[in-house]
Amino acid sequence: MEQQLLIYNTLSRQKELFRPLTEGRVGMYVCGPTVYGDGHLGHARPAITFDVVYRYLQHLGYKVRYVRNITDVGHLEHDADEGEDKIAKKARLEQLEPMEVAQHYTNRYHAAMERLNVLPPSIEPHASGHIMEQIALVQQILDAGYAYVSNGSVYFDVRKYQENTHKYGQLSGRVIDEMLATTRELDGQDEKHFSGDFALWKKASPEHIMRWPSPWSDGFPGWHAECTAMGAKYLGSPFDIHGGGMDLLFPHHESEIAQCVASTGHAPCRYWMHNNMITINGQKMGKSLGNFITLDEFFTGSHKLLTQAYSPMTIRFFILQAHYRSTVDFSNEALQAAEKGFAKLMEAYKALGRITGTSGASNDIVVSGLRQKCYDAMNDDFATPTVISHLFEAAKIINSAADGKQKLAQADIDELKGVFDTFLFDILGMKDESSSDNTALIDGLMKIILDIRATAKANKDWTTSDKIRDALNAAGVTVKDGKDGATYSY
């Protein structure tokens, strides 16, 4: 049966029937991390959300090219056009080359994604590897008359764009008059014709480490340019789906639309998808706010707000229990509930192997309709919480049969197993951690060892502290001491 997929398009603010530009093929671009620190729960949400989208589109038979970028240059501290490059600042503080910082945290991001069972994208371009494409984009916008050069920097002319298109703010719902009233004045904004103009290219100050030659100055691209340039390079223009976190609606995605329209005459994509935020006590979780918990801290239970360690599949299940467009507030209680809920589904799935089915055709109406109910939920804008509720419904039937309270035909058992295999494992991307490599156990043991070492250091027992570190090093485990405590890597 052909499935009719509805996707909520942020641009139109309604669900729309998904029709790819090319039959049988889908191009999807999702904004990836800025790699200047360890990934946290806020990074896990878009990765898991669009992993499920990727998995489901492939399940429906589409050939999907999924592009997720790595931002390793151009993202300044204020998410605007001033301040220090986030990666360059980290490099200066750590006395490293910026690309060392980017590579280190890219590696750690990949390791965390693998543990969360997030499939790698088809292509993962780096901003620093596509400087020429970004320079070409800036030149196109200049040639079209929607940008100007000021003191070696190039800025997008928002007011001129608005006069000609009346479209700036269409995605985020902002208007220029509001921006004039609310835009915070920053150092260097006297270079701009209007405070809402954004940088396409920034002239590097003498102390700025990351710089490239361009027709306008030695400098670096603006944050928004990378996604427009790389999306067009690898997916064409326009492409089907552009995704990312809701915090990127403005200024990042709004600016992407303006850049694309100015340079090509049309929008970059057909469908805009945005996942909502992870919050702590109602406030967005993020590095800039300092209220984040890294994924490694979740896996080891080493953050002060955590009462225990949580496995990668508990984190994944916790995120999928909420619809991707709703906010999710962190709490230990919610994570513990997710842990128990996933365990119940896994126990029910394993119980299927212990049930002896009766002969004959399916005789359970709930079981026979279960698969289509799960499809209906996925087709309704990827409603993963509804899919999970249907799987819990199935788990009740399985447990009842396992307890001898009802009979299931072998056809019912086969269908239940098929539904779990398809939806819980293949599409939602969950996996049985009991048969994995015991990483949760290892993380727990390492936390105990590092706590013992921290106590020894606090007591100035350097002999014990060094002995633990050296023994771990001999076993292939590197311990790195930091201001927030010790971390380990293989």
Side-chain angles (χ1 to χ4, degrees):
M1 180 177 177
E2 186 180 346
Q3 305 299 329
Q4 298 289 303
L5 173 62
L6 294 173
I7 294 179
Y8 183 87
N9 189 345
T10 311
L11 187 63
S12 65
R13 290 164 177 75
Q14 63 185 13
K15 293 176 187 176
E16 298 178 6
L17 185 64
F18 178 65
R19 295 191 184 280
L21 289 158
T22 303
E23 188 176 351
R25 294 176 178 268
V26 177
M28 180 169 74
Y29 188 100
V30 175
C31 292
T34 301
V35 283
Y36 70 103
D38 276 335
H40 55 70
L41 197 60
H43 293 119
R45 191 168 197 195
I48 291 169
T49 294
F50 291 100
D51 181 56
V52 170
V53 174
Y54 183 33
R55 287 169 180 270
Y56 190 58
L57 289 170
Q58 289 185 110
H59 175 77
L60 293 181
Y62 291 109
K63 183 175 175 59
V64 184
R65 179 178 285 179
Y66 175 20
V67 180
R68 187 186 66 208
N69 69 301
I70 294 288
T71 298
D72 56 1
V73 65
H75 195 167
L76 304 186
E77 290 176 281
H78 302 298
D79 286 359
D81 296 325
E82 298 303 324
E84 199 169 357
D85 184 290
K86 291 184 176 186
I87 290 167
K89 180 180 180 180
K90 185 78 170 183
R92 177 174 57 77
L93 294 173
E94 299 279 343
Q95 295 185 313
L96 297 168
E97 280 288 330
M99 285 301 124
E100 279 187 273
V101 171
Q103 189 65 57
H104 174 75
Y105 287 112
T106 298
N107 291 346
R108 289 181 66 80
Y109 176 76
H110 286 159
M113 292 304 106
E114 185 176 356
R115 295 184 69 176
L116 289 167
N117 205 27
V118 170
L119 299 173
S122 314
I123 301 173
E124 190 175 56
H126 290 231
S128 63
H130 295 78
I131 300 298
M132 296 307 296
E133 289 86 350
Q134 293 174 80
I135 289 173
L137 171 69
V138 175
Q139 189 61 58
Q140 280 181 296
I141 297 170
L142 276 166
D143 292 344
Y146 287 109
Y148 56 90
V149 181
S150 178
N151 193 28
S153 294
V154 184
Y155 292 100
F156 190 92
D157 193 332
V158 168
R159 282 191 291 199
K160 184 170 182 182
Y161 174 80
Q162 180 66 3
E163 286 168 8
N164 291 343
T165 68
H166 308 291
K167 287 184 175 179
Y168 195 74
Q170 61 177 334
L171 185 68
S172 61
R174 297 194 182 205
V175 294
I176 285 182
D177 290 342
E178 288 176 3
M179 290 171 57
L180 276 167
T182 60
T183 301
R184 182 165 57 92
E185 292 300 323
L186 299 167
D187 293 340
Q189 284 206 343
D190 56 339
E191 288 185 352
K192 300 180 181 183
H193 295 173
F194 163 54
S195 60
D197 294 346
F198 57 88
L200 297 169
W201 184 266
K202 284 288 286 181
K203 180 181 179 180
S205 56
E207 67 275 9
H208 204 284
I209 310 170
M210 303 172 81
R211 58 175 67 218
W212 290 265
S214 81
W216 317 287
S217 64
D218 278 6
F220 53 93
W223 172 33
H224 316 305
E226 61 174 294
C227 292
T228 302
M230 294 190 297
K233 179 179 176 69
Y234 294 111
L235 297 174
S237 184
F239 51 89
D240 294 300
I241 299 171
H242 195 318
M246 200 169 280
D247 56 334
L248 298 178
L249 265 173
F250 188 89
H252 189 49
H253 290 163
E254 197 72 73
S255 300
E256 278 193 61
I257 292 175
Q259 289 170 158
C260 194
V261 171
S263 58
T264 67
H266 57 72
C269 66
R270 291 186 69 174
Y271 303 89
W272 283 94
M273 291 182 67
H274 291 90
N275 65 275
N276 216 318
M277 299 294 98
I278 299 278
T279 57
I280 295 185
N281 298 323
Q283 186 180 39
K284 174 200 159 187
M285 179 182 286
K287 287 197 186 88
S288 57
L289 298 170
N291 66 346
F292 63 94
I293 304 173
T294 71
L295 291 169
D296 276 356
E297 286 170 335
F298 275 106
F299 301 155
T300 60
S302 57
H303 193 280
K304 63 185 178 182
L305 292 178
L306 300 174
T307 58
Q308 65 177 80
Y310 297 100
S311 74
M313 287 303 99
T314 297
I315 300 296
R316 188 174 178 109
F317 197 69
F318 167 67
I319 287 171
L320 293 177
Q321 277 187 308
H323 191 272
Y324 76 89
R325 286 191 288 113
S326 64
T327 56
V328 176
D329 199 51
F330 156 80
S331 72
N332 281 284
E333 293 76 17
L335 279 162
Q336 286 159 6
E339 185 175 60
K340 289 175 184 173
F342 179 51
K344 283 180 181 178
L345 290 182
M346 288 307 305
E347 287 162 11
Y349 179 74
K350 290 172 183 176
L352 280 170
R354 302 192 297 268
I355 300 170
T356 302
T358 62
S359 60
S362 171
N363 56 15
D364 191 296
I365 295 171
V366 176
V367 173
S368 61
L370 181 63
R371 184 181 294 269
Q372 190 56 49
K373 284 166 74 175
C374 289
Y375 273 123
D376 291 345
M378 287 302 296
N379 290 333
D380 186 13
D381 194 32
F382 309 96
T384 58
T386 308
V387 174
I388 290 169
S389 72
H390 293 324
L391 294 174
F392 276 124
E393 190 180 347
K396 286 181 184 176
I397 296 170
I398 295 167
N399 292 334
S400 179
D403 293 340
K405 294 176 182 176
Q406 75 176 84
K407 296 285 187 182
L408 285 176
Q410 187 59 46
D412 292 326
I413 294 170
D414 294 342
E415 176 63 5
L416 285 165
K417 185 177 186 304
V419 168
F420 270 72
D421 286 341
T422 297
F423 289 94
L424 185 62
F425 301 127
D426 293 348
I427 293 172
L428 297 189
M430 301 302 297
K431 65 180 181 180
D432 182 2
E433 289 176 309
S434 65
S435 60
S436 66
D437 58 355
N438 292 318
T439 49
L441 174 62
I442 292 169
D443 283 338
L445 292 172
M446 282 301 304
K447 182 179 185 300
I448 294 169
I449 293 168
L450 293 179
D451 284 348
I452 293 169
R453 182 169 175 268
T455 301
K457 287 182 71 176
N459 294 333
K460 295 185 167 40
D461 182 0
W462 310 119
T463 302
T464 301
S465 170
D466 291 346
K467 185 176 179 181
I468 293 171
R469 182 198 61 205
D470 294 343
L472 288 171
N473 192 48
V477 178
T478 301
V479 175
K480 183 177 179 181
D481 291 308
K483 62 180 182 180
D484 297 322
T487 57
Y488 78 93
S489 59
Y490 296 111

mmCIF file of all heavy atoms in Angstrom, residues 323-362:
data_model
loop_
_atom_site.group_PDB
_atom_site.id
_atom_site.type_symbol
_atom_site.label_atom_id
_atom_site.label_comp_id
_atom_site.label_asym_id
_atom_site.label_seq_id
_atom_site.Cartn_x
_atom_site.Cartn_y
_atom_site.Cartn_z
ATOM 1 N N HIS A 323 6.923 14.476 20.246
ATOM 2 C CA HIS A 323 6.924 14.842 18.833
ATOM 3 C C HIS A 323 8.042 15.847 18.587
ATOM 4 O O HIS A 323 8.315 16.706 19.428
ATOM 5 C CB HIS A 323 5.580 15.439 18.419
ATOM 6 C CG HIS A 323 5.428 15.578 16.943
ATOM 7 N ND1 HIS A 323 5.846 16.701 16.257
ATOM 8 C CD2 HIS A 323 4.952 14.719 15.992
ATOM 9 C CE1 HIS A 323 5.611 16.531 14.964
ATOM 10 N NE2 HIS A 323 5.068 15.337 14.783
ATOM 11 N N TYR A 324 8.678 15.759 17.425
ATOM 12 C CA TYR A 324 9.870 16.585 17.183
ATOM 13 C C TYR A 324 9.580 18.083 17.221
ATOM 14 O O TYR A 324 10.477 18.886 17.477
ATOM 15 C CB TYR A 324 10.529 16.194 15.849
ATOM 16 C CG TYR A 324 9.834 16.695 14.601
ATOM 17 C CD1 TYR A 324 10.143 17.934 14.041
ATOM 18 C CD2 TYR A 324 8.868 15.913 13.955
ATOM 19 C CE1 TYR A 324 9.518 18.394 12.894
ATOM 20 C CE2 TYR A 324 8.234 16.358 12.803
ATOM 21 C CZ TYR A 324 8.562 17.596 12.283
ATOM 22 O OH TYR A 324 7.936 18.051 11.145
ATOM 23 N N ARG A 325 8.300 18.480 17.016
ATOM 24 C CA ARG A 325 7.980 19.915 17.038
ATOM 25 C C ARG A 325 7.580 20.423 18.422
ATOM 26 O O ARG A 325 7.269 21.605 18.570
ATOM 27 C CB ARG A 325 6.869 20.213 16.024
ATOM 28 C CG ARG A 325 7.340 20.173 14.588
ATOM 29 C CD ARG A 325 6.332 20.722 13.603
ATOM 30 N NE ARG A 325 5.179 19.848 13.402
ATOM 31 C CZ ARG A 325 3.945 20.139 13.768
ATOM 32 N NH1 ARG A 325 3.676 21.278 14.378
ATOM 33 N NH2 ARG A 325 2.956 19.286 13.542
ATOM 34 N N SER A 326 7.595 19.546 19.421
ATOM 35 C CA SER A 326 7.260 19.981 20.789
ATOM 36 C C SER A 326 8.535 20.112 21.610
ATOM 37 O O SER A 326 9.544 19.466 21.323
ATOM 38 C CB SER A 326 6.314 18.984 21.454
ATOM 39 O OG SER A 326 6.953 17.734 21.609
ATOM 40 N N THR A 327 8.500 20.962 22.626
ATOM 41 C CA THR A 327 9.660 21.094 23.505
ATOM 42 C C THR A 327 9.748 19.864 24.408
ATOM 43 O O THR A 327 8.747 19.206 24.693
ATOM 44 C CB THR A 327 9.575 22.354 24.389
ATOM 45 O OG1 THR A 327 8.351 22.327 25.123
ATOM 46 C CG2 THR A 327 9.655 23.616 23.565
ATOM 47 N N VAL A 328 10.945 19.561 24.859
ATOM 48 C CA VAL A 328 11.178 18.460 25.792
ATOM 49 C C VAL A 328 11.981 19.021 26.962
ATOM 50 O O VAL A 328 13.071 19.549 26.774
ATOM 51 C CB VAL A 328 11.978 17.312 25.128
ATOM 52 C CG1 VAL A 328 12.279 16.230 26.145
ATOM 53 C CG2 VAL A 328 11.207 16.725 23.956
ATOM 54 N N ASP A 329 11.404 18.922 28.162
ATOM 55 C CA ASP A 329 12.102 19.448 29.338
ATOM 56 C C ASP A 329 12.849 18.309 30.027
ATOM 57 O O ASP A 329 12.261 17.274 30.358
ATOM 58 C CB ASP A 329 11.113 20.107 30.304
ATOM 59 C CG ASP A 329 11.819 21.045 31.284
ATOM 60 O OD1 ASP A 329 12.591 21.901 30.813
ATOM 61 O OD2 ASP A 329 11.603 20.923 32.502
ATOM 62 N N PHE A 330 14.130 18.522 30.224
ATOM 63 C CA PHE A 330 14.952 17.510 30.886
ATOM 64 C C PHE A 330 14.556 17.345 32.350
ATOM 65 O O PHE A 330 14.327 18.315 33.062
ATOM 66 C CB PHE A 330 16.434 17.908 30.814
ATOM 67 C CG PHE A 330 17.254 17.296 31.909
ATOM 68 C CD1 PHE A 330 17.684 15.979 31.809
ATOM 69 C CD2 PHE A 330 17.549 18.002 33.069
ATOM 70 C CE1 PHE A 330 18.417 15.387 32.833
ATOM 71 C CE2 PHE A 330 18.284 17.427 34.093
ATOM 72 C CZ PHE A 330 18.713 16.110 33.969
ATOM 73 N N SER A 331 14.491 16.086 32.782
ATOM 74 C CA SER A 331 14.430 15.770 34.208
ATOM 75 C C SER A 331 14.883 14.331 34.374
ATOM 76 O O SER A 331 14.729 13.512 33.464
ATOM 77 C CB SER A 331 13.011 15.946 34.771
ATOM 78 O OG SER A 331 12.152 14.916 34.298
ATOM 79 N N ASN A 332 15.441 14.024 35.532
ATOM 80 C CA ASN A 332 15.836 12.646 35.805
ATOM 81 C C ASN A 332 14.624 11.722 35.788
ATOM 82 O O ASN A 332 14.707 10.586 35.306
ATOM 83 C CB ASN A 332 16.548 12.565 37.160
ATOM 84 C CG ASN A 332 17.993 13.030 37.080
ATOM 85 O OD1 ASN A 332 18.857 12.312 36.594
ATOM 86 N ND2 ASN A 332 18.244 14.245 37.542
ATOM 87 N N GLU A 333 13.502 12.222 36.286
ATOM 88 C CA GLU A 333 12.286 11.390 36.335
ATOM 89 C C GLU A 333 11.836 10.993 34.923
ATOM 90 O O GLU A 333 11.454 9.844 34.676
ATOM 91 C CB GLU A 333 11.157 12.145 37.052
ATOM 92 C CG GLU A 333 11.400 12.386 38.537
ATOM 93 C CD GLU A 333 12.398 13.495 38.823
ATOM 94 O OE1 GLU A 333 12.675 14.305 37.910
ATOM 95 O OE2 GLU A 333 12.912 13.552 39.955
ATOM 96 N N ALA A 334 11.897 11.964 33.993
ATOM 97 C CA ALA A 334 11.481 11.671 32.618
ATOM 98 C C ALA A 334 12.429 10.667 31.959
ATOM 99 O O ALA A 334 11.990 9.776 31.226
ATOM 100 C CB ALA A 334 11.428 12.960 31.805
ATOM 101 N N LEU A 335 13.716 10.802 32.238
ATOM 102 C CA LEU A 335 14.694 9.866 31.666
ATOM 103 C C LEU A 335 14.524 8.469 32.269
ATOM 104 O O LEU A 335 14.643 7.459 31.572
ATOM 105 C CB LEU A 335 16.112 10.382 31.892
ATOM 106 C CG LEU A 335 16.563 11.444 30.885
ATOM 107 C CD1 LEU A 335 17.763 12.220 31.421
ATOM 108 C CD2 LEU A 335 16.915 10.822 29.545
ATOM 109 N N GLN A 336 14.252 8.415 33.564
ATOM 110 C CA GLN A 336 14.041 7.113 34.205
ATOM 111 C C GLN A 336 12.779 6.441 33.650
ATOM 112 O O GLN A 336 12.753 5.225 33.458
ATOM 113 C CB GLN A 336 13.940 7.302 35.714
ATOM 114 C CG GLN A 336 15.290 7.586 36.360
ATOM 115 C CD GLN A 336 15.178 8.259 37.728
ATOM 116 O OE1 GLN A 336 14.082 8.428 38.261
ATOM 117 N NE2 GLN A 336 16.314 8.651 38.280
ATOM 118 N N ALA A 337 11.751 7.244 33.376
ATOM 119 C CA ALA A 337 10.523 6.697 32.780
ATOM 120 C C ALA A 337 10.807 6.163 31.380
ATOM 121 O O ALA A 337 10.292 5.109 30.983
ATOM 122 C CB ALA A 337 9.439 7.775 32.731
ATOM 123 N N ALA A 338 11.641 6.891 30.618
ATOM 124 C CA ALA A 338 12.022 6.439 29.274
ATOM 125 C C ALA A 338 12.802 5.132 29.354
ATOM 126 O O ALA A 338 12.586 4.219 28.551
ATOM 127 C CB ALA A 338 12.849 7.515 28.571
ATOM 128 N N GLU A 339 13.680 5.034 30.326
ATOM 129 C CA GLU A 339 14.484 3.820 30.526
ATOM 130 C C GLU A 339 13.570 2.614 30.794
ATOM 131 O O GLU A 339 13.729 1.544 30.180
ATOM 132 C CB GLU A 339 15.440 4.038 31.699
ATOM 133 C CG GLU A 339 16.416 2.918 31.959
ATOM 134 C CD GLU A 339 17.395 3.296 33.067
ATOM 135 O OE1 GLU A 339 16.922 3.559 34.210
ATOM 136 O OE2 GLU A 339 18.603 3.342 32.811
ATOM 137 N N LYS A 340 12.591 2.807 31.669
ATOM 138 C CA LYS A 340 11.657 1.722 32.001
ATOM 139 C C LYS A 340 10.763 1.390 30.816
ATOM 140 O O LYS A 340 10.470 0.220 30.553
ATOM 141 C CB LYS A 340 10.796 2.124 33.209
ATOM 142 C CG LYS A 340 11.572 2.165 34.527
ATOM 143 C CD LYS A 340 10.706 2.693 35.649
ATOM 144 C CE LYS A 340 11.516 2.814 36.944
ATOM 145 N NZ LYS A 340 10.727 3.479 38.004
ATOM 146 N N GLY A 341 10.317 2.420 30.097
ATOM 147 C CA GLY A 341 9.436 2.200 28.957
ATOM 148 C C GLY A 341 10.117 1.391 27.871
ATOM 149 O O GLY A 341 9.531 0.432 27.341
ATOM 150 N N PHE A 342 11.353 1.753 27.531
ATOM 151 C CA PHE A 342 12.068 1.006 26.492
ATOM 152 C C PHE A 342 12.327 -0.425 26.950
ATOM 153 O O PHE A 342 12.225 -1.378 26.165
ATOM 154 C CB PHE A 342 13.372 1.716 26.138
ATOM 155 C CG PHE A 342 14.189 0.996 25.096
ATOM 156 C CD1 PHE A 342 13.607 0.603 23.904
ATOM 157 C CD2 PHE A 342 15.522 0.703 25.318
ATOM 158 C CE1 PHE A 342 14.353 -0.072 22.937
ATOM 159 C CE2 PHE A 342 16.271 0.026 24.366
ATOM 160 C CZ PHE A 342 15.680 -0.363 23.167
ATOM 161 N N ALA A 343 12.649 -0.592 28.241
ATOM 162 C CA ALA A 343 12.892 -1.938 28.775
ATOM 163 C C ALA A 343 11.633 -2.798 28.630
ATOM 164 O O ALA A 343 11.718 -3.988 28.292
ATOM 165 C CB ALA A 343 13.316 -1.852 30.239
ATOM 166 N N LYS A 344 10.452 -2.208 28.854
ATOM 167 C CA LYS A 344 9.190 -2.956 28.715
ATOM 168 C C LYS A 344 8.983 -3.430 27.278
ATOM 169 O O LYS A 344 8.558 -4.559 27.041
ATOM 170 C CB LYS A 344 8.004 -2.085 29.146
ATOM 171 C CG LYS A 344 7.848 -1.949 30.648
ATOM 172 C CD LYS A 344 6.648 -1.082 30.989
ATOM 173 C CE LYS A 344 6.517 -0.920 32.508
ATOM 174 N NZ LYS A 344 5.381 -0.028 32.845
ATOM 175 N N LEU A 345 9.285 -2.549 26.323
ATOM 176 C CA LEU A 345 9.142 -2.944 24.918
ATOM 177 C C LEU A 345 10.120 -4.056 24.558
ATOM 178 O O LEU A 345 9.764 -5.001 23.836
ATOM 179 C CB LEU A 345 9.343 -1.733 23.999
ATOM 180 C CG LEU A 345 8.250 -0.658 24.023
ATOM 181 C CD1 LEU A 345 8.561 0.443 23.021
ATOM 182 C CD2 LEU A 345 6.875 -1.255 23.727
ATOM 183 N N MET A 346 11.345 -3.961 25.054
ATOM 184 C CA MET A 346 12.345 -4.989 24.749
ATOM 185 C C MET A 346 11.962 -6.319 25.395
ATOM 186 O O MET A 346 12.141 -7.389 24.797
ATOM 187 C CB MET A 346 13.727 -4.545 25.227
ATOM 188 C CG MET A 346 14.355 -3.434 24.388
ATOM 189 S SD MET A 346 14.417 -3.792 22.613
ATOM 190 C CE MET A 346 15.274 -5.358 22.596
ATOM 191 N N GLU A 347 11.433 -6.258 26.604
ATOM 192 C CA GLU A 347 11.002 -7.499 27.280
ATOM 193 C C GLU A 347 9.868 -8.158 26.509
ATOM 194 O O GLU A 347 9.826 -9.376 26.350
ATOM 195 C CB GLU A 347 10.567 -7.182 28.713
ATOM 196 C CG GLU A 347 11.732 -6.872 29.648
ATOM 197 C CD GLU A 347 11.281 -6.155 30.913
ATOM 198 O OE1 GLU A 347 10.053 -6.085 31.166
ATOM 199 O OE2 GLU A 347 12.150 -5.647 31.648
ATOM 200 N N ALA A 348 8.934 -7.332 26.012
ATOM 201 C CA ALA A 348 7.807 -7.876 25.239
ATOM 202 C C ALA A 348 8.314 -8.496 23.936
ATOM 203 O O ALA A 348 7.870 -9.583 23.543
ATOM 204 C CB ALA A 348 6.798 -6.771 24.944
ATOM 205 N N TYR A 349 9.253 -7.827 23.286
ATOM 206 C CA TYR A 349 9.797 -8.349 22.024
ATOM 207 C C TYR A 349 10.473 -9.701 22.251
ATOM 208 O O TYR A 349 10.283 -10.646 21.466
ATOM 209 C CB TYR A 349 10.794 -7.340 21.445
ATOM 210 C CG TYR A 349 11.438 -7.786 20.151
ATOM 211 C CD1 TYR A 349 10.722 -7.781 18.955
ATOM 212 C CD2 TYR A 349 12.759 -8.215 20.125
ATOM 213 C CE1 TYR A 349 11.307 -8.186 17.764
ATOM 214 C CE2 TYR A 349 13.357 -8.618 18.936
ATOM 215 C CZ TYR A 349 12.625 -8.598 17.761
ATOM 216 O OH TYR A 349 13.214 -9.015 16.582
ATOM 217 N N LYS A 350 11.234 -9.806 23.332
ATOM 218 C CA LYS A 350 11.920 -11.072 23.627
ATOM 219 C C LYS A 350 10.921 -12.163 24.021
ATOM 220 O O LYS A 350 11.144 -13.346 23.744
ATOM 221 C CB LYS A 350 12.950 -10.857 24.741
ATOM 222 C CG LYS A 350 14.146 -10.014 24.282
ATOM 223 C CD LYS A 350 15.060 -9.636 25.430
ATOM 224 C CE LYS A 350 16.181 -8.745 24.951
ATOM 225 N NZ LYS A 350 17.046 -8.275 26.056
ATOM 226 N N ALA A 351 9.806 -11.746 24.640
ATOM 227 C CA ALA A 351 8.783 -12.720 25.041
ATOM 228 C C ALA A 351 8.127 -13.371 23.835
ATOM 229 O O ALA A 351 7.609 -14.492 23.935
ATOM 230 C CB ALA A 351 7.724 -12.040 25.905
ATOM 231 N N LEU A 352 8.147 -12.706 22.694
ATOM 232 C CA LEU A 352 7.562 -13.288 21.482
ATOM 233 C C LEU A 352 8.197 -14.638 21.146
ATOM 234 O O LEU A 352 7.534 -15.537 20.631
ATOM 235 C CB LEU A 352 7.755 -12.334 20.289
ATOM 236 C CG LEU A 352 6.775 -11.163 20.170
ATOM 237 C CD1 LEU A 352 7.244 -10.202 19.092
ATOM 238 C CD2 LEU A 352 5.366 -11.664 19.865
ATOM 239 N N GLY A 353 9.491 -14.755 21.446
ATOM 240 C CA GLY A 353 10.188 -16.004 21.151
ATOM 241 C C GLY A 353 9.810 -17.144 22.074
ATOM 242 O O GLY A 353 10.150 -18.309 21.804
ATOM 243 N N ARG A 354 9.099 -16.848 23.165
ATOM 244 C CA ARG A 354 8.726 -17.885 24.129
ATOM 245 C C ARG A 354 7.272 -18.319 23.994
ATOM 246 O O ARG A 354 6.820 -19.222 24.687
ATOM 247 C CB ARG A 354 8.968 -17.383 25.554
ATOM 248 C CG ARG A 354 10.414 -16.966 25.835
ATOM 249 C CD ARG A 354 10.651 -16.763 27.328
ATOM 250 N NE ARG A 354 9.841 -15.692 27.875
ATOM 251 C CZ ARG A 354 10.251 -14.420 27.959
ATOM 252 N NH1 ARG A 354 11.443 -14.086 27.488
ATOM 253 N NH2 ARG A 354 9.472 -13.497 28.490
ATOM 254 N N ILE A 355 6.527 -17.646 23.117
ATOM 255 C CA ILE A 355 5.103 -17.942 22.969
ATOM 256 C C ILE A 355 4.914 -19.001 21.881
ATOM 257 O O ILE A 355 5.473 -18.886 20.787
ATOM 258 C CB ILE A 355 4.311 -16.670 22.612
ATOM 259 C CG1 ILE A 355 4.471 -15.599 23.699
ATOM 260 C CG2 ILE A 355 2.831 -16.992 22.410
ATOM 261 C CD1 ILE A 355 3.924 -14.242 23.315
ATOM 262 N N THR A 356 4.124 -19.995 22.189
ATOM 263 C CA THR A 356 3.768 -21.007 21.189
ATOM 264 C C THR A 356 2.467 -20.586 20.525
ATOM 265 O O THR A 356 1.421 -20.464 21.175
ATOM 266 C CB THR A 356 3.594 -22.389 21.845
ATOM 267 O OG1 THR A 356 4.806 -22.734 22.512
ATOM 268 C CG2 THR A 356 3.258 -23.433 20.801
ATOM 269 N N GLY A 357 2.528 -20.341 19.233
ATOM 270 C CA GLY A 357 1.353 -19.872 18.513
ATOM 271 C C GLY A 357 0.428 -21.005 18.098
ATOM 272 O O GLY A 357 0.857 -22.145 17.919
ATOM 273 N N THR A 358 -0.828 -20.674 17.972
ATOM 274 C CA THR A 358 -1.804 -21.656 17.484
ATOM 275 C C THR A 358 -1.777 -21.651 15.957
ATOM 276 O O THR A 358 -1.306 -20.704 15.327
ATOM 277 C CB THR A 358 -3.210 -21.304 17.980
ATOM 278 O OG1 THR A 358 -3.581 -20.019 17.462
ATOM 279 C CG2 THR A 358 -3.250 -21.270 19.490
ATOM 280 N N SER A 359 -2.282 -22.699 15.365
ATOM 281 C CA SER A 359 -2.323 -22.785 13.909
ATOM 282 C C SER A 359 -3.481 -21.953 13.378
ATOM 283 O O SER A 359 -4.382 -21.565 14.107
ATOM 284 C CB SER A 359 -2.465 -24.241 13.468
ATOM 285 O OG SER A 359 -3.659 -24.795 14.002
ATOM 286 N N GLY A 360 -3.424 -21.668 12.111
ATOM 287 C CA GLY A 360 -4.510 -20.922 11.499
ATOM 288 C C GLY A 360 -4.136 -19.485 11.226
ATOM 289 O O GLY A 360 -3.036 -19.023 11.544
ATOM 290 N N ALA A 361 -5.084 -18.756 10.644
ATOM 291 C CA ALA A 361 -4.843 -17.366 10.279
ATOM 292 C C ALA A 361 -4.914 -16.459 11.508
ATOM 293 O O ALA A 361 -5.323 -16.878 12.592
ATOM 294 C CB ALA A 361 -5.862 -16.928 9.240
ATOM 295 N N SER A 362 -4.538 -15.189 11.310
ATOM 296 C CA SER A 362 -4.589 -14.190 12.378
ATOM 297 C C SER A 362 -6.017 -14.075 12.906
ATOM 298 O O SER A 362 -6.982 -14.047 12.146
ATOM 299 C CB SER A 362 -4.128 -12.835 11.841
ATOM 300 O OG SER A 362 -4.370 -11.835 12.794
#
